[in-house]
Amino acid sequence: MGALSSWPSDSELDGIRNTVAEMARVDVNVVKIVVSPYRICPLGAHIDHQGGTVSAMTINKGIILGFVPSGDSQVLLRSGQFSGEVRFRVDQIQLPKHMQENYPSDTEECKWGSYAKGALYALQRGGNQIKQGITGFICGTEGLDSSGLSSSAAVGIAYLLALESANNLTMSPTENIEYDRLIENEYLGLKNGILDQSAILLSSYGCLTCMDCKTKKHKLIHPPKLEMEKKTEAKTSYKILLAFSGLKQALTTNPGYNRRVTECREAANVLLKASGKELEPILSNVDQQEYEAHKVLF
């Protein structure tokens, strides 16, 4: 993940380390920290799952997970935002939510513990031997509503990195992008693309990440510089305003997002069939000329 400027502060990290040390009854110096930032996307909504080109960058706010390996198969988690504890074992096979007998559940544990279990599911699905759990404390940036900033992807990646560390696994960003996709697509049933986790894992401080979601190739775009009058220092040519619209929506519990994905694939299927092409039904496989020729079908 890219550099994150002055976030998190030393006081934030010290507080989390002390909390985990108390939970696990260990020395504060053995507590490890995962920092997983939120992201913004100037170009992205509903483009990534259709194989298009997206752009994104991380911001200096996000998720912090302090943890220590548990020494056994137990996972114990507490949250700075939610009440209760999450407990489960890593030697239990995790099933996608729709295959669980008690799903859906309205318990607090189900609401905020799902991503940790989803991370275990993804790693198990990838054939990894996960034998050691974690004791951890997770929290998001205080005073910031994270709606629309991909806090879910940030949480999923934080748990992946913690479980990998506890089990001495080394994964590339590409592998973790796929594992986070498994958390969202398979475990939770959300049909989103790879924009969010790619932004978190591939971004670099001060740069815009541009990615082709079909080829999965990306590049970092550095900002232009404006020279000051005295030409003694450079000044960045832009500022970003992050505004909360007042609307909140949990994509995993609202059918609207998955419905739009299905609509896009249905439209692509119609256009590709009319063009005589047998390709994956995503809109990035439809040429502009083919769209213009067959758009009357809608």
Side-chain angles (χ1 to χ4, degrees), residues 5-32:
S5 186
S6 60
W7 174 79
S9 68
D10 290 341
S11 60
E12 286 179 286
L13 296 178
D14 288 344
I16 291 170
R17 288 192 180 99
N18 288 329
T19 298
V20 175
E22 184 177 341
M23 289 173 61
R25 297 180 181 179
V26 297
D27 189 276
V28 69
N29 293 318
V30 304
V31 177
K32 298 182 179 181

Side-chain angles (χ1 to χ4, degrees), residues 82-101:
F82 303 104
S83 61
E85 293 182 342
V86 172
R87 292 177 180 265
F88 60 95
R89 299 173 60 92
V90 297
D91 55 2
Q92 296 173 330
I93 300 299
Q94 294 296 318
L95 297 175
K97 300 292 284 185
H98 70 276
M99 296 177 62
Q100 298 176 17
E101 293 182 2

